[in-house]
Amino acid sequence: MYHGQTTGKGPSHCMQIYQQPPRLLIVHITLPSWADVCSNLCEALQNFFSLACSLVGPSRMSLFSLYMVQNQHECILPFVQVKGNFARLQACISELRLLQREGCFRPQGISLQLAVEDGLQQLKQYSRHVTTGAALTYTSLEITVLTSQPGKEVVKQLEEGLKDTDLVRVRRLQVVEITKGVLGCMDSASPVEEPSSDENSVLGTDIDLQTVDNDVVSMEMFFKAWLHNSGTDQEHVHLLLPSRCLSNISRARDNPMCLKCDLQERLLSPSLLPGTAGGSLRMDDPKGDFSTLYQMASQSSASRYKLRVIKALKSSGVCESLTYGLPFILRPTSCWQLDWDELETNQQHFHALCHSLLKREWLLLAKGEPPSRGHSLREAASTFYVILPSCSATLLVRAVATRELLLPSPFPLLPEDLPADSLRTVESVLDDLELEPTYNPLQVWSHLYPHLSSTFAKPQGQLHPSWESRGLRKHPCKAGQLQINRVRARVAPLPMTPAPGRAPKMPAASKASSAVFFPPSTEEEEEMEEEECPSGP
């Protein structure tokens, strides 16, 4: 979720910028299932990163790293900044495609545990080499284990293997089981039964368990959830219901009801992407189509943006042409600073509101009330919204036109008497069209991903910086034999600063790990190549 800055002729007002935590993806796939998963996973990652790297404004993802667990744990991609690194991410995906798909191996029982521990060590090592301000945003890590094995078994394996590991820096540990479901409604990953409190009480961090179908769209939608603001430090919006309004869901009829909600985007604005309609507009440009609600809700952390409900409307009485801007979603907040009783009561009232509105076929008209900025001689302009309920336990928020924005529309009414020949001709054309009961945007392919990928294309031979290309290039050891120089997941702590005049020899494991963050010199690179490809007798 993006919180940017508004620009204009006057001074800019800084908004709160939510920095996403680093993410570690561990692909834990066994043979022969990897052959069925590989192409779908790689295409989904390619599509997702082509989108994530193209969005203007502050990066929605900070750092990303990828491990593969097959015969052993292996670091395919060390932590890199997502924005501006599409070439490295694409090279990582290409390496995934080249991994072994057939044959047999003996997986080690502790490989998954070691991948988690090495990822934590790698993040700690990375944080030591960035500026102090940036290091503060890398204090926690979200780990996702993508597995083809039964999810509950993997959860128990992690619980047992990590019970003695310090997970204070792990913000979230998630196991996602890839199922062999058939592409149907093409929803995002659906949660499954989570382990009981007795099962996940071993760790200080609970392990979330989800499933995702083995198809490109489902995996793609799962990764897109990383673009949302998943912070739970505070709620985003307060929805205020007046006293006696929908009083059947509240026992306290004389007290106004305040529902605490989290705000999410429903669609990405095309103005955030290059080469699309409105691509020349910046997200923080006042001419952009970003809703005022989205900007106002992020301006102050002291007091939440308020939506005060003032009227109820019949759903059939609101013309779609009077709404504008992109829709946003309100959900019951998951703020950890609220106690459990308040969270549960807030969620129950929110669901009751959705149910009552659906039953009555009502919409709500709400007035936006931004946080107070002190005494001002000018009256702040108000923004009005319509709030639509849905069966998915969410409220859809759309900005609505006011008198000042309404333009005249002197359009004549449709004539009742039409020529019979024209009517028959048009009706025969319409009868030939394929009729769909609903519009599903997941089934409409606009070729956006290939277009975005092509914008990052560089001339051949310049895919990586010079030192990176040396590290990732395949070196011939013997005639007709190639070795892929992948980064092994042996992350060791940085050595202590040597005393003057003494330079202790760095162990091989430390060399490999430090090469992730520091480019090797020409002499060091030659030594590494000699170690990898020893000359024959």
Side-chain angles (χ1 to χ4, degrees), residues 323-380:
T323 59
Y324 64 93
L326 296 178
F328 293 86
I329 287 178
L330 291 181
R331 300 177 181 270
T333 186
S334 56
C335 175
W336 63 267
Q337 298 192 35
L338 303 179
D339 58 60
W340 286 106
D341 291 338
E342 185 178 0
L343 278 174
E344 184 177 3
T345 302
N346 183 77
Q347 185 180 54
Q348 290 174 354
H349 285 172
F350 187 95
H351 293 167
L353 175 62
C354 293
H355 179 78
S356 298
L357 292 177
L358 287 171
K359 182 179 179 180
R360 300 182 182 209
E361 297 185 350
W362 280 7
L363 309 179
L364 297 179
L365 179 64
K367 177 182 179 181
E369 296 183 359
S372 175
R373 296 188 177 275
H375 179 71
S376 177
L377 297 178
R378 293 188 304 172
E379 183 177 359

Side-chain angles (χ1 to χ4, degrees), residues 71-143:
N71 288 327
Q72 58 185 352
H73 64 289
E74 188 172 2
C75 183
I76 305 297
L77 179 71
F79 277 112
V80 295
Q81 293 281 350
V82 171
K83 192 168 185 179
N85 271 312
F86 182 76
R88 292 196 67 185
L89 294 166
Q90 192 174 35
C92 162
I93 297 171
S94 298
E95 285 220 29
L96 275 182
R97 296 183 189 274
L98 297 177
L99 289 175
Q100 178 184 2
R101 299 193 188 189
E102 297 178 355
C104 60
F105 59 87
R106 298 176 181 176
Q108 301 178 11
I110 62 172
S111 296
L112 190 56
Q113 167 196 342
L114 293 177
V116 173
E117 293 175 348
D118 282 0
L120 287 169
Q121 179 65 25
Q122 185 194 157
L123 178 65
K124 184 185 297 184
Q125 189 167 329
Y126 184 95
S127 302
R128 294 176 181 176
H129 301 284
V130 295
T131 59
T132 305
L136 295 177
T137 63
Y138 305 146
T139 56
S140 63
L141 176 66
E142 289 207 3
I143 302 176

Side-chain angles (χ1 to χ4, degrees), residues 108-179:
Q108 301 178 11
I110 62 172
S111 296
L112 190 56
Q113 167 196 342
L114 293 177
V116 173
E117 293 175 348
D118 282 0
L120 287 169
Q121 179 65 25
Q122 185 194 157
L123 178 65
K124 184 185 297 184
Q125 189 167 329
Y126 184 95
S127 302
R128 294 176 181 176
H129 301 284
V130 295
T131 59
T132 305
L136 295 177
T137 63
Y138 305 146
T139 56
S140 63
L141 176 66
E142 289 207 3
I143 302 176
T144 300
V145 178
L146 202 63
T147 180
S148 60
Q149 296 184 4
K152 289 187 177 182
E153 294 182 7
V154 176
V155 169
K156 291 180 180 179
Q157 181 181 343
L158 285 172
E159 287 173 346
E160 182 64 27
L162 299 174
K163 60 183 179 182
D164 297 325
T165 304
D166 183 11
L167 298 177
V168 67
R169 303 190 70 178
V170 178
R171 176 182 174 182
R172 186 185 186 192
L173 181 55
Q174 182 183 34
V175 173
V176 180
E177 178 185 348
I178 300 176
T179 63

